[in-house]
Structure formats: C-alpha cells, structure tokens
Amino acid sequence: MQHLRTTVARLRPITVSQTTKSLSQTAPRVAEAVPLAPQPFRRLSASVGSEPFLNGTSSNYVEEMYYAWLENPKNVHKSWDVFFRNANAGAPPGAAYQSPPPLGGKCQIPARAQSLVGVQPSVQKLVEDHLAVQSLIRAYQVRGHHIAKLDPLDISCVDFDDAPCTVGFQNVGLYGLRESDLDKVFRLPTTTFIGGNQSALPLREIIHRLEMAYCQHIGVEFMFINDVQQCQWIRQRFERPGVMHLGLEEKKTLLARMIRSTRFEEFLQRKWSSEKRFGLEGCESLIPALKTIIDKSSESGVENVIMGMPHRGRLNVLANVIRKELEQIFCQFDSKLEAADEGSGDVKYHLGMYHQRINRATEKNITLSLMANPSHLEAVDPVVQGKTKAEQFYCGDTEGKRVMSILIHGDAAFAGQGIVYETFHLSDLPSYTTHGTIHVVVNNQIGFTTDPRMARSSPYPTDVARVVNAPIFHVNADDPEAVMYVCNVAAEWRNTFHKDVVVDLVCYRRNGHNEMDEPMFTQPLMYKQIKKQKGVLEKYAEKVIAEGVVTREAYEEEVVTYDKICEEAHSRSKDEKLLHIKHWLDSPWPGFFDLDGQPKSLSCSSTGISEEELNCIGNIASSIPVKDFTIHGGLSRILRGRADMVSQRVCDWALGEYMAFGSLLKEGTHVRLSGQDVERGTFSHRHHVLHDQNVDKRTCIPMNHLSPDQAPYTVCNSSLSEYGVLGFELGYAMTSPNALVLWEAQFGDFHNTAQCIIDQFICPGQAKWVRQNGIVLLLPHGMEGMGPEHSSGRPERFLQMCNDDPDVYPNLPVEDFAIRQLFDCNWIVVNCSTPANFFHVLRRQILQPFRKPLIIFTPKSLLRHPEAKSSFDDMLPGTEFMRIIPESGPAYASPDKVKRVIFCTGKVYYELARERKNRSMEESVSIFRVEQLSPFPFDIVRHEAERCPNADLVWCQEEHKNQGYYDYVKPRIRTAVDRLRPVWYAGRDPAAAPATGNKQNHLLELQRFLDTAFNLEAFPGIQ
C-alpha cells in the first residue's frame, strides 16, 4: 500500500485549461512524450527560460531527485525537500526554490515559503483523488459487465441479487470524487490501457472510455484471475481505443456467413416445417463465431479441431462449419430411405462428422471433427477432451499448438450438469490437459421451459468456469461484429496461454424447445418480445448497407445465390435411395478396415508369447531400471516376490497384467491405464510407478524401460471423477484402434456415477453411430464381507444390455463360432479367475481384427490368493483365452459318475473347489468356470453338459439371486441344452442391497449357499 501511495503521490489533478497552458510552457520533448499529461512541476507560471535549471539535461536530474524525494524526503538535501514541498503546494519554481543553509548555520525559511510548506492537505487530497480514480477504473473492470447491454431482448435474465453496480458518472461520489472533478485530468495507472498513447485523461473521458470498453455489447469477466500478466493481456484487448474496429473485408465476410447461417435455417423451415430439427434461430451468429475461432486458430498453426455440441444448431454447424454436403443433410429428412449400414442409427441432430479441407481464410489444411452424441446434454464434453488428448499424443503435439477442442454448450446445461465441472477440473492435469479449450455457450436465457432464476443459483450460467480461472466473455449475439471480435480474442487467448476460455453468446430461442413446441404456455412475455424482434441478419445487413460496406443489390444477390445452392442440393438429395450412417463417422480409422468398413479378416492370431519374452518382462517388473533410486522397503519385498515367481515360472494377477501390457508395448501398441489410484492400485498390488524415498517427486515407470523401440506406456492417477474420466478415456480410445486404453474403477460399483457414458456411448455406440471402440473397463468385484458399497460391480446391468438372444442358439460355423460371436456382440463381458486368462483377454483385445468394449470384473482377494496363480505354460505360443475353464479333476475322467455340474464364474470357484475337497466330492461334482459371460459360450456349455448326461445343472454365484449373473445365464444354458434339463440356483437370496454389512452374516450366507450347491438332494424332482 505504501508503494501505491508513493506512486500516486506524484500525480496531481489539473483542469483541462491549465493543462493546455502548461503544455505551451514546457519543453517540446516532454509535450511530445505525454500529450495532455504534465510531467512533475510542469504547472508553471514563469517561463521555462526564466528557470534555466529546468532546461536540457538538468531536467532529467531534477526528475530523478523528485522520484527519490517521493520515496523518502530524507533521500535528498533539505533544500530539495523544501523545494518539492513548495512546488507540490502550488508555488512556481522560482518561489519554491530556497537557498541552502550556510555552513554551521540554520536555514532561514521566509514566511511565504513556510506557509507553502504547511499546505499538506492538498497533497493528501491528491493521493485520495488518484486512489479514487483507480478504484473507479477497477470497479469497471470487475463489475462493468453488470450493466453491459448483453441481452438482445432487453429483459435482463441475469440476477445480481439486486446489488447496485457503482459505476458511471452518477456514482463518482461513492469514490470521494465530485462532479466538479469530471474535467480534471488524472494520470492513468498501469492497470489500464484506456489512454492508448496518452498517460493522463480527464475524469469524464476516463469514464466514457471505460463505458465503451466494458458496458456496451461485450461484458468481460476476468478480474478473478490471479495471474497479473493474463489480466493485463485482457485489458489490452478490450480497453485500447479503437481496438474493436473491423475492416471492410472482415465485415463482408461476416455478412456472408450470417447469410448462410440464417438462410439455411429458413430453408429447412420452408421445406420441413413439421420436422424437429432444433434450429439455431435467435443465435445465428454462432456460425460466424465458430468460423472466426477456427480461422484465427488456423492462423496460429492449429491443424485439427475437435468439436462437441448439443442438438440445437447442429445441422447448421454441420452444413456451414464442418461443410457437410447439403444433400447428405437434406436426405436425412426423408423417412423412406433404407439404412445401408448395420446398427439402428440415430436421429439427424445427434450425428457427427469428420472432414478435411482447406481453410479459406488461411489457405492451410484443417481437419474438423464434430462428435456424435446423445440427448444427454454435456455428456460429450469429456469424450471430446479425450479424443483431443489422443490426437495431440499421436502427432507429438505436447503443447496443444496443432490440435485443439471447441465445446458448444447450452446455458441451462452448462450451469446444471455436473459433468461440466468434472471436465473443467481435467483441464490442467498433466495426463488429461488438452492445453486449452474454447467454450461457446449458446445462452438462450431459458432451459426448455425453465427460467434462469429457477435453473441456477449463480448470476451467469458460465460461473462454473471461474474455478479454473478461465476468462468469460459475454457478448450480445445480436451484434455480430462484437461476437467476431470476442471470438478472435478467445482464439488468441487459447493460443497464447493454452488455457480454457468461455464465450457467452447471449441470445434467444425464436421457436420453442423444438419446432413443434409452444413456448407461450410458460414464457408469454418473453415470446411476445421475441415475436417483435427483428432478425439479426436483417439488422446487420441494414447496418453495413448504411455504412457503404455493400450495396443492397449485392446483399440481395448473395442471398439469392445461397438459396439457389440449397435448392439444388435439395433436388440432388431426392436421388438418394440409401442412408449411409458411415458417411457421418466422426473418428475414422484409415487402414484398419477394408474399403467397405469391414474387418480385413475374421481370425485372431495366438495371444501367447515366448518364454523369453515372459522372462524379459518379468525381470523388468521385478527390478528398478534406473540407478541411485531408493524405493520403500515394503516395495522391495514385493519386487523380490515377483523375481521369485519369474524364477518359478508362475505369475500372480499383477504380474499377469504386467506380461500383457509389456508384451503389447514391445509389439508397438500404446497402452494407457487411467483411473483413481491406478498407479499403485487400489489394493496395493500393481506398483507401476515407483517413488524415490529420498527425492521428492522423482518417479520411475519400469514399463517404459522394456526396449528402445517400444511404444510408450501411460499410467495416470485421475481426479476423483468417474463420469468425466471414463468419458475422457472413451474419447481417447476412439481415436486409434492401435492402443489399449483401460479405465479402472476404484471399486466396481463406482462405475454407476459414470452410467451415462456406459449407457449412451459404450454400450450402443456402434449401433447408433457405426463407431467401434476398444475401451477396457476394469471393475473390482467380489463378495468379501466389505459391506454393500465395495462388493458388487453390478454385472447384472452390463449383462442386461448385451445384444445376444438368450433363446436362440447362434447359427454360426463351428470353426469360427467364437470370433463371429465377438464380431456380432455390442460388448464383451468377462470375469476371469486366473492371471493367464486375464493376460490372454487383454492381448486378444488388440489382436482381434475389430474393436469391441471389454468389461472385466477383476478380483480383490484373488490378487494374493495362493491358488490364483498361472504357470508360464498357460501363456506360451499356442495358448489362448479360455471362454470356459472346464473340469480337470477326477470328475472329468468319469463323466458318467458326475451327479452335478456346477457352472460358476470368478472368485466363487475357489470357495466351491475348497468345499468340494472338504466333502470329498471330486468325482460326483464337476465345476466349470464361465470366464466369458457375453457373448455366451453356447457351444462349450452344450458340449460339457452332453458329456455328463446323468448330472443336474446348477448355476452357483455369490451374488444375490436378483443380481449377479443368474437371470442372464439361466435361459442361455437352457437354450444350449435344448431346454431338456432345468437349471437350478445356488447362491444368496434376493435382496435390495448388494451385500450385508455384517461380517458374520456374510459368512453364514456363504456357508448356506455352499451347502445348497453340494447337497445332491437339494432340488426336488431330480433323481
């Protein structure tokens, strides 16, 4: 504060007339340097000639002395102290100067000088006035957007809790200023750029320029940003006089884009007035906004833009931004077209697109992707970010200079959907950042039928962006030039700082929620105003015609030309007979499929690897590949244990995973593992990142030290988010088929907070959008007595959404049965019971000739179970994933003696095997492990059931009867045996909760269903 006071103390307000007079009396050098701004003691009544010490180089010396005196009067000689005091009190230099005191004598100060020295209140007033002006300038910078003219309807839907905005001429008194001060000139602080080349302005002009910068059609929120450089950057972009001026060609381009945006919607309305299309009417300036962002970004070197948006305006964006062929859009309105692709398809306003073209503004190549998405608003946000991150990774763009994302939002969803917040919090995390996203909010000031006051508690829908210090530019969407300027600044911000930025297009929705909806039911006054509202194109055309930018004839000719383009495309669209969903693919995989989009073969090479590879990977997994690296003592024991297993040619679960990842990396396949605590593993079993115990933040990832030419391995702890992170990894996996992308839930049941991504993207993605995806979900699952929350991964939900028919035995060739089942399914669900099978299913995910989501229910207690280990023999060339692990004991040798066949999956097998051994029933009871639940192994179940003709069939699970797998497997086992034998159940009774919270009850339930499973008389009617 002291520094501020001393800085301000040298500034003194003077009237405009006095300024003019003093400027005529100062040296020309000073007048040229600071017009309208007097330097220290330039308020002179005597001529410069009569004060020779102020001339030439002496003036520089005086100025230096003055600055020293401002810091501390004791810094200068007493005579200088008196001189400066008198000058600040208003004395001319001649009167202000006093001779220095004689040696050994006292300084005799004349009476007039004494009176001048005593005039200190004016200095205090000077400080106070300049502090007041600084406060006023800051008030505009902080709150000017409160009174900006942002709403084209002028109905003010923003609620500031009725707090007055203390800016403007009428409020100067609140800062200690008077109306009489309006013509005083004040030196401007370094925190504003309203002066341009001037360092001082009259207060009236200061207020006027602040009003022009912050209170017109642009409202800027940025003063919450804690980086001074960034704040200064924004001030420069909005405060400098004339900075928002557009050139003639820019206005012509803007008009042409407004014509295309507006006439496209009008054409659709004329042709298909009764069709839902979620048009852009009321925010037509979105199209030039997006094109401006893309143009500016392309100019800065961006080559690839990935976009996500809701349904409103999507067709217009596809047509005029992505440049989808108009006939392809128009034929979507023809309900008689036959689908040419597999799958069920999606409505036209959910479809995506991928297009490479030349950007006309920069003549550079640019790739544009608009992601397909469901109706679930904002769900696509993290998917876009994940795809952007992957594109950056594959092209080596470590700073986000070549690939960027744009997210378009609705106002109600931006404020209301939590996924927006989750996605923002990924923006600066090392393994998730995309180095800045431009967010464009189409602020209709309504959510379906809900007013803003009922839709959010914050003044603006964009306030969520403040948590990551993203600047927010509010702009009246009925002012296309302001929109264009703001979007240029947003693109420049992203390119400069590589951080998120928000553009809030304050607009309106001319129709209802869709074209069939009646908005007057719930917003009568708003829609009365909207009906009076002149269209933005009409208003802007009148403006540029009046300015002489274009003639009315040229404007009308441009409109006719675009209308003709639409009509011709509409005529061509009538020739379309087939609807090709693959033409709307947003993430093509060049070279992976054949020209028809089909797998190049339907075979999968062996997933086994050589013993040499197993040993090589095992040695890395059990060592520290960098020197002078101190690990935790407990981790040393774990690594020694791994080394012992390698020497014994066995592996546990963690080592089996290591073998799978390591072998794929050595073959050139990128592996990315993400989720909460995945680096160590929730159950402290993985330890893929080693931490030096002596050096802070020094880490080592042994998996990246396998071989010089390996693919990179990314393992990253995520934020405490499931919805956002799973969506991110889905987008990452979507980008390339040549990567194994895995998301692990901390516990399996935590996936339900990401249910939207699972239900709307992962499960039906291929059916809706002809878009394959090989993402892997690792869901820890098992009844361990840990209570209802950490037990079940909810397998019943995944199995319920599988697309195979439980009542139909697949009519597939025997030799291709397994691979064709995989090709036909919508996702794969497995519950492995051995590390070797886990190893094989992970490798199969990459080696198979297509991509399907893989859901793996992973174990908890089996991670350290002494029997849950696999020999290297089960992982060598020629071995493969086993859909069912059959009986291998005495019961296998004598199938006629088997009285009961128990089918099970996962961890419960080890409890069944132990109980069978304790009861000495190895010959009479056969246990089969169903490792792959979906697609269901009908062929193997049929074969094994036929081998034991005298046995009853039992499904045993540790989950409750209304949960788990029973409802899924029972009809399929029945189908496999031609419904000739019943399928009985052994397991826990139906329940609302997944598990009991009482350990004793857990053990009692376990023993009860084990007794049922091995009681050969348990089920009535069986001989």
Side-chain angles (χ1 to χ4, degrees):
M1 187 63 189
Q2 180 62 28
H3 175 71
L4 177 64
R5 286 182 177 278
T6 55
T7 302
V8 174
R10 81 175 197 271
L11 310 173
R12 44 183 309 106
I14 56 180
T15 65
V16 177
S17 61
Q18 289 171 324
T19 302
T20 305
K21 179 180 178 182
S22 66
L23 283 173
S24 67
Q25 297 172 335
T26 54
R29 179 183 62 82
V30 177
E32 291 171 4
V34 190
L36 289 182
Q39 293 293 319
F41 20 88
R42 294 300 188 235
R43 185 185 173 202
L44 310 176
S45 57
S47 69
V48 176
S50 65
E51 304 293 342
F53 73 96
L54 291 181
N55 287 333
T57 57
S58 299
S59 64
N60 294 333
Y61 171 72
V62 174
E63 193 166 355
E64 290 177 10
M65 296 294 287
Y66 180 54
Y67 290 148
W69 175 78
L70 284 174
E71 291 297 330
N72 188 346
K74 293 181 180 180
N75 288 344
V76 299
H77 189 270
K78 183 66 178 175
S79 61
W80 281 112
D81 180 27
V82 173
F83 173 78
F84 290 139
R85 290 186 181 218
N86 290 339
N88 270 341
Y97 174 73
Q98 301 296 326
S99 300
L103 291 175
K106 294 183 179 180
C107 178
Q108 300 296 320
I109 303 177
R112 168 154 175 78
Q114 287 179 343
S115 66
L116 289 172
V117 171
V119 186
Q120 292 304 303
S122 63
V123 176
Q124 183 66 26
K125 180 67 166 64
L126 171 70
V127 172
E128 291 174 353
D129 284 353
H130 276 86
L131 286 175
V133 171
Q134 276 198 321
S135 298
L136 181 66
I137 292 171
R138 179 176 171 81
Y140 274 98
Q141 293 170 341
V142 174
R143 296 189 297 277
H145 57 88
H146 286 208
I147 58 172
K149 305 173 183 68
L150 301 177
D151 184 7
L153 300 178
D154 198 25
I155 58 177
S156 185
C157 287
V158 180
D159 182 8
F160 293 108
D161 297 327
D162 298 323
C165 186
T166 53
V167 295
F169 295 101
Q170 71 277 14
N171 289 309
V172 293
L174 296 173
Y175 299 90
L177 298 166
R178 296 181 296 273
E179 191 173 345
S180 59
D181 294 327
L182 289 173
D183 292 321
K184 287 183 178 179
V185 174
F186 291 86
R187 183 175 290 271
L188 299 171
T190 58
T191 54
T192 187
F193 295 87
I194 57 173
N197 295 325
Q198 299 168 289
S199 61
L201 289 172
L203 179 58
R204 189 184 305 277
E205 182 66 15
I206 289 173
I207 294 175
H208 172 69
R209 294 192 184 188
L210 289 170
E211 294 271 346
M212 296 304 295
Y214 291 111
C215 304
Q216 300 306 306
H217 287 164
I218 298 174
V220 188
E221 278 190 280
F222 70 102
M223 289 294 283
F224 52 82
I225 296 174
N226 49 28
D227 186 297
V228 175
Q229 179 189 1
Q230 293 175 10
C231 288
Q232 288 289 77
W233 188 94
I234 293 173
R235 291 184 184 113
Q236 277 189 304
R237 298 307 183 279
F238 288 96
E239 292 184 355
R240 293 185 73 87
V243 75
M244 300 182 194
H245 176 73
L246 295 185
L248 187 66
E249 290 304 316
E250 288 178 305
K251 291 183 178 182
K252 288 182 178 179
T253 299
L254 179 55
L255 178 63
R257 289 173 172 178
M258 287 301 305
I259 289 171
R260 287 175 172 264
S261 175
T262 305
R263 300 300 291 180
F264 177 82
E265 296 294 350
E266 292 177 0
F267 182 83
L268 295 183
Q269 180 64 24
R270 287 198 305 272
K271 297 295 182 181
W272 299 283
S273 59
S274 60
E275 282 269 355
K276 286 183 182 180
R277 55 183 170 83
F278 295 95
L280 197 55
E281 292 96 333
C283 192
E284 291 90 346
S285 56
L286 173 67
I287 300 305
L290 295 176
K291 292 179 78 69
T292 298
I293 291 170
I294 293 168
D295 290 348
K296 188 69 173 179
S297 301
S298 174
E299 182 183 305
S300 302
V302 171
E303 303 166 356
N304 193 340
V305 178
I306 295 101
M307 301 168 60
M309 70 176 298
H311 41 274
R312 186 164 312 285
R314 191 180 194 88
L315 297 180
N316 206 325
V317 170
L318 284 165
N320 290 313
V321 179
I322 308 295
R323 306 296 290 276
K324 178 75 174 172
E325 299 92 338
L326 290 177
E327 55 266 35
Q328 288 290 324
I329 295 175
F330 296 157
C331 75
Q332 287 282 330
F333 288 90
D334 187 350
S335 59
K336 298 178 182 178
L337 287 182
E338 296 181 15
D341 310 290
E342 82 278 5
S344 52
D346 202 351
V347 292
K348 51 188 168 289
Y349 40 82
H350 286 171
L351 299 176
M353 179 60 188
Y354 173 94
H355 188 46
Q356 292 178 310
R357 63 175 174 85
I358 297 291
N359 181 269
R360 293 178 182 174
T362 61
E363 296 301 320
K364 295 180 180 179
N365 285 317
I366 194 159
T367 300
L368 302 175
S369 301
L370 177 63
M371 305 297 293
N373 63 267
S375 286
H376 296 61
L377 297 174
E378 308 296 340
V380 78
D381 294 359
V383 183
V384 168
Q385 301 297 62
K387 179 173 169 57
T388 304
K389 182 68 175 180
E391 295 283 6
Q392 290 173 349
F393 173 84
Y394 292 123
C395 73
D397 183 16
T398 58
E399 297 180 349
K401 293 182 177 179
R402 296 169 58 191
V403 184
M404 66 171 284
S405 57
I406 301 174
L407 288 175
I408 298 106
H409 313 267
D411 53 319
F414 198 63
Q417 291 293 321
I419 188 59
V420 175
Y421 184 85
E422 291 188 34
T423 305
F424 266 120
H425 271 289
L426 297 177
S427 65
D428 204 29
L429 303 183
S431 296
Y432 301 87
T433 180
T434 57
H435 308 284
T437 296
I438 299 178
H439 302 263
V440 180
V441 179
V442 177
N443 186 351
N444 294 315
Q445 308 184 75
I446 188 173
F448 203 154
T449 66
T450 304
D451 291 325
R453 183 63 189 90
M454 305 302 165
R456 62 178 186 264
S457 296
S458 61
Y460 292 113
T462 53
D463 287 334
V464 64
R466 295 165 65 108
V467 300
V468 292
N469 281 331
I472 303 164
F473 305 141
H474 308 280
V475 59
N476 187 322
D478 264 15
D479 184 348
E481 292 184 6
V483 170
M484 187 173 178
Y485 182 76
V486 157
C487 289
N488 268 314
V489 173
E492 191 180 352
W493 165 277
R494 193 266 171 194
N495 181 62
T496 303
F497 298 106
H498 294 285
K499 290 183 175 293
D500 285 30
V501 57
V502 177
V503 175
D504 178 23
L505 295 178
V506 184
C507 56
Y508 57 92
R509 190 188 66 197
R510 187 166 289 277
N511 301 311
H513 178 65
N514 58 61
E515 286 68 26
M516 303 295 98
D517 192 48
E518 176 50 75
M520 292 287 285
F521 289 150
T522 51
Q523 277 76 32
L525 298 182
M526 172 186 266
Y527 274 86
K528 284 178 183 177
Q529 180 64 35
I530 289 173
K531 287 179 179 179
K532 301 175 188 174
Q533 195 79 3
K534 187 183 293 186
V536 61
L537 173 61
E538 185 181 351
K539 288 197 288 188
Y540 188 61
E542 290 174 357
K543 178 179 183 293
V544 292
I545 291 170
E547 292 175 353
V549 175
V550 295
T551 63
R552 179 163 296 279
E553 292 74 19
Y555 161 68
E556 291 174 351
E557 182 180 348
E558 183 93 17
V559 171
V560 171
T561 299
Y562 186 70
D563 286 351
K564 184 179 179 182
I565 291 172
C566 291
E567 287 290 354
E568 291 173 350
H570 180 241
S571 298
R572 291 193 301 271
S573 72
K574 296 177 180 179
D575 298 330
E576 294 285 342
K577 304 299 180 186
L578 296 175
L579 181 61
H580 296 275
I581 303 174
K582 64 186 177 186
H583 289 170
W584 298 76
L585 192 61
D586 56 19
S587 299
W589 293 340
F592 186 72
F593 298 112
D594 63 22
L595 295 178
D596 294 325
Q598 297 300 311
K600 294 180 178 178
S601 70
L602 271 181
S603 62
C604 181
S605 56
S606 171
T607 50
I609 61 176
S610 69
E611 183 138 0
E612 180 184 0
E613 288 287 282
L614 292 169
N615 281 312
C616 172
I617 298 167
N619 290 334
I620 291 292
S622 56
S623 63
I624 308 169
V626 293
K627 296 180 179 179
D628 302 322
F629 196 96
T630 305
I631 62 173
H632 190 275
L635 188 52
S636 296
R637 291 192 295 273
I638 292 174
L639 297 188
R640 286 197 299 271
R642 288 180 182 173
D644 291 343
M645 283 190 287
V646 172
S647 65
Q648 297 165 17
R649 300 183 67 254
V650 297
C651 63
D652 62 3
W653 203 271
L655 194 52
E657 180 184 74
Y658 222 107
M659 298 296 187
F661 289 179
S663 58
L664 290 171
L665 291 168
K666 293 189 73 175
E667 292 165 5
T669 298
H670 169 48
V671 178
R672 176 183 168 95
L673 173 62
S674 166
Q676 296 158 23
D677 311 298
V678 296
E679 295 178 5
R680 191 202 75 170
T682 301
F683 310 103
S684 195
H685 69 290
R686 183 172 288 126
H687 296 289
H688 283 189
V689 179
L690 309 181
H691 293 259
D692 194 313
Q693 299 295 297
N694 299 324
V695 182
D696 186 37
K697 297 179 182 177
R698 186 187 181 204
T699 60
C700 170
I701 302 176
M703 198 89 76
N704 278 325
H705 295 263
L706 292 167
S707 68
D709 57 348
Q710 70 169 83
Y713 174 53
T714 302
V715 55
C716 46
N717 291 339
S718 74
S719 64
L720 198 66
S721 156
E722 290 83 27
Y723 191 171
V725 175
L726 179 56
F728 187 98
E729 302 307 331
L730 175 76
Y732 198 102
M734 174 189 306
T735 307
S736 170
N738 301 315
L740 182 67
V741 181
L742 309 96
W743 174 77
E744 182 175 68
Q746 192 177 67
F747 287 90
D749 52 338
F750 289 171
H751 80 262
N752 57 16
T753 61
Q755 201 69 46
C756 180
I757 298 296
I758 294 167
D759 289 354
Q760 311 310 133
F761 289 89
I762 300 178
C763 173
Q766 184 176 353
K768 292 198 293 187
W769 305 314
V770 199
R771 183 172 72 190
Q772 294 191 15
N773 196 298
I775 191 169
V776 179
L777 274 60
L778 303 177
L779 306 177
H781 169 83
M783 306 292 127
E784 316 279 6
M786 297 178 67
E789 263 63 61
H790 293 326
S791 296
S792 176
R794 294 292 188 176
E796 65 276 3
R797 294 181 179 171
F798 292 91
L799 295 173
Q800 182 191 35
M801 291 188 283
C802 295
N803 65 349
D804 61 334
D805 192 329
D807 302 319
V808 176
Y809 190 94
N811 183 21
L812 299 172
V814 175
E815 64 275 11
D816 295 333
F817 193 93
I819 192 74
R820 286 189 175 274
Q821 267 197 308
L822 292 174
F823 179 69
D824 291 339
C825 74
N826 62 316
W827 59 16
I828 305 164
V829 181
V830 302
N831 187 353
C832 300
S833 62
T834 69
N837 235 16
F838 183 52
F839 161 86
H840 283 297
V841 79
L842 290 175
R843 285 184 51 79
R844 185 184 73 175
Q845 189 69 357
I846 290 298
L847 295 177
Q848 63 193 9
F850 45 80
R851 294 291 175 263
K852 301 285 179 174
L854 173 61
I855 316 300
I856 306 180
F857 293 99
T858 55
K860 293 176 287 185
S861 62
L862 293 192
L863 297 175
R864 295 176 178 82
H865 197 292
E867 295 178 27
K869 293 183 178 179
S870 295
S871 167
F872 280 10
D873 292 335
D874 297 329
M875 305 161 77
L876 295 176
T879 59
E880 62 181 3
F881 176 73
M882 301 179 70
R883 293 177 290 151
I884 285 184
I885 300 180
E887 175 62 59
S888 58
Y892 178 79
S894 305
D896 292 339
K897 296 180 181 179
V898 174
K899 302 297 183 183
R900 175 164 294 171
V901 171
I902 298 178
F903 293 99
C904 67
T905 187
K907 174 183 76 72
V908 74
Y909 164 76
Y910 293 95
E911 289 157 342
L912 288 168
R914 185 186 68 244
E915 188 72 15
R916 181 177 65 173
K917 182 178 180 181
N918 293 340
R919 294 175 183 247
S920 301
M921 300 179 70
E922 288 91 340
E923 291 189 353
S924 57
V925 176
S926 183
I927 304 175
F928 292 88
R929 285 175 268 179
V930 181
E931 302 281 290
Q932 178 176 292
L933 292 143
S934 180
F936 191 74
F938 288 95
D939 52 334
I940 304 178
V941 169
R942 170 173 286 185
H943 173 72
E944 297 298 341
E946 288 175 349
R947 287 188 70 251
C948 305
N950 302 319
D952 57 354
L953 307 179
V954 174
W955 174 261
C956 182
Q957 65 179 35
E958 57 181 353
E959 296 81 6
H960 291 282
K961 189 174 185 179
N962 59 324
Q963 299 165 28
Y965 322 90
Y966 179 60
D967 287 337
Y968 175 84
V969 300
K970 179 180 178 179
R972 287 165 175 80
I973 296 176
R974 291 268 292 153
T975 297
V977 298
D978 296 325
R979 298 178 182 80
L980 298 176
R981 297 151 76 178
V983 178
W984 302 99
Y985 171 77
R988 287 181 166 87
D989 293 336
T996 178
N998 183 285
K999 184 72 172 182
Q1000 186 63 30
N1001 286 345
H1002 166 77
L1003 296 174
L1004 288 174
E1005 291 171 353
L1006 171 63
Q1007 191 56 51
R1008 190 178 299 125
F1009 79 71
L1010 289 175
D1011 290 342
T1012 302
F1014 291 101
N1015 179 3
L1016 301 181
E1017 307 298 326
F1019 304 112
I1022 297 298
Q1023 300 299 321

